[in-house]
Amino acid sequence: MERRGFIKKGLSWLAYIFGAAALAYPVFLFMSFRKIRKKTVVFHPDEQLAAANFKEGIYLIKKGTDFNALSARCTHLGCTLNFDAVSQQFKCPCHGSLFAISGKWVSGPARKDLMSIPVETEANGDMEVEFEI
Ligand code: FES
Protein backbone atom coordinates (compact mmCIF):
# COMPACT_ATOMS: atom_id res chain seq x y z
CA MET A 1 0.00 0.00 0.00
CA GLU A 2 1.27 3.41 -0.86
CA ARG A 3 1.92 5.92 1.85
CA ARG A 4 -0.80 8.28 0.53
CA GLY A 5 -3.38 5.43 0.43
CA PHE A 6 -2.44 4.36 3.94
CA ILE A 7 -2.96 7.91 5.27
CA LYS A 8 -6.30 8.23 3.43
CA LYS A 9 -7.52 4.95 4.88
CA GLY A 10 -6.37 5.95 8.36
CA LEU A 11 -8.20 9.27 8.11
CA SER A 12 -11.34 7.47 6.93
CA TRP A 13 -11.23 5.18 9.94
CA LEU A 14 -10.73 8.14 12.25
CA ALA A 15 -13.78 9.82 10.68
CA TYR A 16 -15.83 6.63 11.25
CA ILE A 17 -14.71 6.40 14.87
CA PHE A 18 -15.50 10.05 15.61
CA GLY A 19 -18.83 9.76 13.78
CA ALA A 20 -19.80 6.70 15.83
CA ALA A 21 -18.75 8.46 19.05
CA ALA A 22 -20.80 11.54 18.08
CA LEU A 23 -23.86 9.31 17.55
CA ALA A 24 -23.32 7.29 20.73
CA TYR A 25 -22.70 10.29 23.01
CA PRO A 26 -26.36 11.44 23.23
CA VAL A 27 -27.44 7.84 23.92
CA PHE A 28 -24.83 7.61 26.67
CA LEU A 29 -26.05 10.89 28.18
CA PHE A 30 -29.65 9.70 28.11
CA MET A 31 -28.77 6.42 29.80
CA SER A 32 -26.68 8.07 32.51
CA PHE A 33 -29.43 10.64 33.08
CA ARG A 34 -31.93 7.84 33.75
CA LYS A 35 -30.01 6.59 36.79
CA ILE A 36 -32.32 6.52 39.78
CA ARG A 37 -30.93 8.40 42.73
CA LYS A 38 -32.35 8.16 46.22
CA LYS A 39 -32.45 10.77 48.91
CA THR A 40 -33.23 10.31 52.59
CA VAL A 41 -34.69 13.06 54.74
CA VAL A 42 -34.65 12.57 58.51
CA PHE A 43 -37.12 14.33 60.79
CA HIS A 44 -35.87 14.37 64.37
CA PRO A 45 -38.45 14.24 67.21
CA ASP A 46 -38.33 18.02 67.67
CA GLU A 47 -39.17 18.43 63.97
CA GLN A 48 -42.34 16.32 64.23
CA LEU A 49 -44.44 18.63 66.38
CA ALA A 50 -46.48 20.66 63.86
CA ALA A 51 -49.35 19.34 61.73
CA ALA A 52 -47.15 19.75 58.62
CA ASN A 53 -43.38 19.80 58.98
CA PHE A 54 -41.32 20.85 55.96
CA LYS A 55 -37.76 19.75 55.25
CA GLU A 56 -35.78 19.41 52.01
CA GLY A 57 -38.77 19.17 49.69
CA ILE A 58 -40.83 16.86 51.93
CA TYR A 59 -43.81 17.53 54.17
CA LEU A 60 -44.16 15.22 57.15
CA ILE A 61 -47.86 15.25 58.04
CA LYS A 62 -48.96 14.42 61.57
CA LYS A 63 -52.39 12.85 62.00
CA GLY A 64 -52.81 12.03 65.66
CA THR A 65 -50.06 9.51 66.29
CA ASP A 66 -49.67 8.55 62.61
CA PHE A 67 -47.35 10.19 60.14
CA ASN A 68 -47.46 10.44 56.38
CA ALA A 69 -44.94 12.08 54.06
CA LEU A 70 -45.82 14.02 50.93
CA SER A 71 -43.65 15.49 48.22
CA ALA A 72 -43.74 19.31 48.34
CA ARG A 73 -43.49 19.43 44.52
CA CYS A 74 -46.58 20.65 42.77
CA THR A 75 -47.78 18.08 40.25
CA HIS A 76 -48.43 20.80 37.68
CA LEU A 77 -44.98 22.22 36.91
CA GLY A 78 -42.99 21.39 40.02
CA CYS A 79 -43.08 24.53 42.18
CA THR A 80 -42.58 24.04 45.90
CA LEU A 81 -45.89 24.11 47.77
CA ASN A 82 -46.65 26.18 50.87
CA PHE A 83 -48.76 24.82 53.70
CA ASP A 84 -51.56 27.04 54.97
CA ALA A 85 -52.19 26.07 58.61
CA VAL A 86 -55.55 27.93 58.69
CA SER A 87 -57.18 26.14 55.74
CA GLN A 88 -55.05 22.98 56.26
CA GLN A 89 -54.23 22.94 52.55
CA PHE A 90 -51.16 23.10 50.37
CA LYS A 91 -51.11 26.10 48.05
CA CYS A 92 -48.94 26.44 44.99
CA PRO A 93 -47.45 29.94 44.71
CA CYS A 94 -46.97 29.61 40.94
CA HIS A 95 -50.43 28.95 39.45
CA GLY A 96 -52.61 28.52 42.51
CA SER A 97 -53.28 24.78 42.69
CA LEU A 98 -54.68 23.59 45.99
CA PHE A 99 -54.16 20.22 47.65
CA ALA A 100 -55.78 18.82 50.79
CA ILE A 101 -53.58 17.87 53.75
CA SER A 102 -53.98 14.24 52.60
CA GLY A 103 -52.28 15.18 49.30
CA LYS A 104 -55.47 14.96 47.23
CA TRP A 105 -55.80 17.52 44.47
CA VAL A 106 -58.54 20.08 45.22
CA SER A 107 -58.38 22.74 42.50
CA GLY A 108 -56.13 24.49 40.01
CA PRO A 109 -54.21 23.46 36.91
CA ALA A 110 -52.49 20.48 38.58
CA ARG A 111 -54.64 17.38 38.12
CA LYS A 112 -52.71 14.74 40.05
CA ASP A 113 -52.49 14.18 43.79
CA LEU A 114 -49.23 14.80 45.61
CA MET A 115 -46.76 11.93 45.75
CA SER A 116 -47.10 10.01 49.02
CA ILE A 117 -43.88 8.59 50.46
CA PRO A 118 -43.56 5.86 53.12
CA VAL A 119 -42.20 6.91 56.51
CA GLU A 120 -40.01 4.68 58.65
CA THR A 121 -39.68 5.23 62.38
CA GLU A 122 -36.27 4.58 63.91
CA ALA A 123 -35.66 3.35 67.47
CA ASN A 124 -34.45 6.81 68.53
CA GLY A 125 -37.72 8.42 67.36
CA ASP A 126 -36.37 9.80 64.08
CA MET A 127 -38.66 9.55 61.06
CA GLU A 128 -36.89 8.62 57.83
CA VAL A 129 -38.36 9.39 54.45
CA GLU A 130 -36.54 7.85 51.48
CA PHE A 131 -37.55 8.81 47.98
CA GLU A 132 -36.30 8.83 44.40
CA ILE A 133 -35.17 12.12 42.91
S1 FES B 1 -46.71 24.73 39.32
FE1 FES B 1 -48.21 24.53 40.84
S2 FES B 1 -50.01 25.13 39.86
FE2 FES B 1 -48.52 25.36 38.33
Side-chain angles (χ1 to χ4, degrees):
M1 182 184 294
E2 288 181 32
R3 183 174 168 207
R4 186 171 289 210
F6 177 76
I7 290 172
K8 260 185 161 177
K9 219 172 194 168
L11 288 175
S12 300
W13 274 105
L14 274 177
Y16 289 135
I17 290 168
F18 281 113
L23 290 175
Y25 186 65
V27 174
F28 171 75
L29 281 182
F30 177 74
M31 290 176 74
S32 62
F33 180 73
R34 301 284 299 165
K35 277 185 188 166
I36 295 171
R37 293 180 295 159
K38 291 193 173 194
K39 180 179 177 181
T40 303
V41 178
V42 179
F43 289 87
H44 302 293
D46 60 321
E47 298 168 320
Q48 303 166 8
L49 303 173
N53 305 278
F54 178 79
K55 194 174 187 183
E56 299 178 41
I58 298 294
Y59 276 105
L60 183 70
I61 310 298
K62 186 178 179 183
K63 240 191 203 173
T65 55
D66 291 336
F67 287 89
N68 181 30
L70 295 171
S71 169
R73 258 187 95 154
C74 180
T75 55
H76 180 225
L77 294 177
C79 289
T80 301
L81 299 166
N82 298 320
F83 182 70
D84 180 23
V86 175
S87 66
Q88 296 282 298
Q89 289 182 321
F90 296 100
K91 291 183 177 178
C92 181
C94 297
H95 310 107
S97 284
L98 284 175
F99 300 88
I101 195 166
S102 63
K104 286 252 180 244
W105 170 79
V106 175
S107 67
R111 295 284 182 234
K112 291 183 187 170
D113 298 340
L114 298 179
M115 185 174 75
S116 183
I117 306 163
V119 179
E120 282 189 29
T121 307
E122 300 298 313
N124 62 1
D126 287 351
M127 301 267 176
E128 280 192 9
V129 181
E130 188 179 81
F131 60 103
E132 294 174 359
I133 52 173

